[in-house]
Amino acid sequence: MRVIVKLFGGLNSGKDFKRTEEGDIIFESVESYSVGQLIDALSLNKKPFIVIHNGIILTHLDIKLKDGDEISLFPPIAGG
Amino acid sequence: MKILRVNMSEDTPMVKVEEIGSYEGLGGRGLTSAIVSKEVDPLCHPLSADNKLVIAPGLLGGTAAAMSGRLSVGCKSPLTGTIKEANAGGQAGQVMARLGYAAIVLEGKPKGDDIYKICINKDGVKVIKDNSLKMLPNYELVERMKGEFGEKIACISIGPAGEMKLAGASVAVTDMELRPTRHAGRGGVGAVMGSKGIKVIVLDDTGTTPRQPKDPEAFKEANKKFVMGLQKHPVTGQGLPAYGTNVLTNIINEVGAYPTYNFKEGRFAGARKISGEVQAELEKQRGGNPTHGCHRGCVIRCSGIYHDKDGHYLTKQPEYETVWALGGNCGIDDIDKIAYMDFLCDNFGVDTIEMGVTIGVAMEAGLIKWGDADGAIELLNEIGKGSYLGRIIGNGAAYTGRAFGVDRVPVVKGQALPAYDPRAVQGIGVTYATSTMGADHTAGYSIALNVLKTGGFVDPLKPEGQVDLSRNLQIATAFIDSTGMCIFIAFALLDQPETNSALVEMLNSFYGWNMTDKDVVEYGKKVLKFERDFNLKAGFTKEHDRLPKFFYREPIPPHNTVFMVKDEELDQLFNW
Ligand code: SF4
């Protein structure tokens, strides 16, 4: 399974992952991961508040990830 | 507090200062909308002597309350034909309130084409003819006023667009550095100021003191709680100060709601290059500042100062809406060129949202190519020149669409849609459709709950619950806009009941009121009723509370959804 993880708004991972040209994390694993487990595995500097899975805002994190999925993570932010 | 009326119809402009009288208890948007709905003929031509321009600080303007410096500008709009309240930050709201004015009302219309400046200080009001100011852009105009009146002033002004009475013209307000960077942008309020022959209002509060509360101790305590609440909330205490409003670019793009190529797609490939994160980093590297208040007393400080590649001041930190309108919406991903366009808009005195959407429509018409930043800059420069093309562009998206035969024009009641596609965020579509102001995101900012999860979550892709959401937000916003508070306090209010109570307590202790949460709701409804009644008398019906047809027919990628909230549901918004 290969999942692209995009971090925004000052979120950083403490681990050394492979990256895309844009700097996104390439998360590869033979094991199955839920979104919540993936977030735990990233060792982020801050807890993400908004989690987007393939463009959809998640309200729970137990969704199982599939090969090719994209996850975007944000701390609490706003504007207008 | 007094109301200052300046009637421009007489040979010598007439100045009258009167008690607030029957408008007592109203401020900001509540006051501008009350005066316009009571005193302006809804069927009048917006540029005629019958229209009035009302400028009002909020209920807490000029006090020691944090965040209370917003200034409302109201009239019948030349862009929409509806009632209008556009509001701005900057210093003038506080200064005007400290001088004792609840509102300045510009009335009538001069017979000739002379232009005037109004000078207000603690000793009184002077209206001075000054044709040497004609067609000056805002930055040069403010420099002239500084030379004449010193550095301790605040200015409310129009650029050439306002003088030409273009429907996209803004009213500029100077910031803490005395630059004309804060704009009451929407609805062509600058054109109405231009129609009154007023180029600039110069305010000097030297020798005045902050307005005093009835119960100083309770007021001080409530203000302290309010500030603590704002600082504690992660959005108002951290996110907004660090990156400004443009931090939204990435998230709105990721959820597929970032209108791109004149609302054809929901994602823009160049979004990251123009995001708040990139912008804040550039500002730090170049000696600008990503964390800056637009007026004294702002503790959130979502604004900033943007320098060019050589480290010289270029403009204030462009807002999310501006970066989207002049950037992603037009396929432009060069942040420096977008910042330069922000400067041009401020200087000529035009609304950045209206101009970005207008340029998108011009691109749709084939005038220039998608992504052509230099072409877009040229179009804006045409406004400064006052050319025929510039006058078309400066009149906004609907006018430009008609001039060039474009049928996909994203406007409601003639006003350009802001930076969230209503097919991917259904709640904001309800606000765009039903707002008393034409398409306006701030009127009921559903993005807070549809995307940002502030105060809860309502699925943005489903039509259910969106009318209730928009209604509640529109009522709350009408109240906040009346207090003079920046609308960004709402992010903390939605999550923290104690911060909400602190705001109500500030009003109660200042005025000696006993306002409850229920009264807050009734206040918001009253303001909306002024506005709705005006619009009904101006000839607006429920058929005007709709989005353009293409939002119901063209699915937008990546979610391939259309706007799904039914007309009958939209018609329930004002049934409370
Ligand atoms: S939060 Fe931003 S817009 Fe609001 S008053 Fe402060 S600087 Fe101005």
Side-chain angles (χ1 to χ4, degrees), chain B residues 67 70 292-295 298 300-303 486 488:
Chain B
M67 310 295 305
R70 302 292 296 190
H292 191 59
C294 71
H295 72 272
C298 168
I300 300 177
R301 296 173 302 147
C302 81
S303 193
C486 172
F488 293 155

Side-chain angles (χ1 to χ4, degrees), chain B residues 422-441:
Chain B
R423 293 162 290 188
V425 187
Q426 304 273 320
I428 202 71
V430 174
T431 298
Y432 292 162
T434 59
S435 153
T436 50
M437 306 283 159
D440 178 353
H441 60 298

Side-chain angles (χ1 to χ4, degrees), chain B residues 449-465:
Chain B
L449 289 95
N450 281 153
V451 178
L452 305 173
K453 289 186 160 180
T454 311
F457 181 66
V458 178
D459 190 334
L461 293 167
K462 296 194 174 129
E464 291 81 21

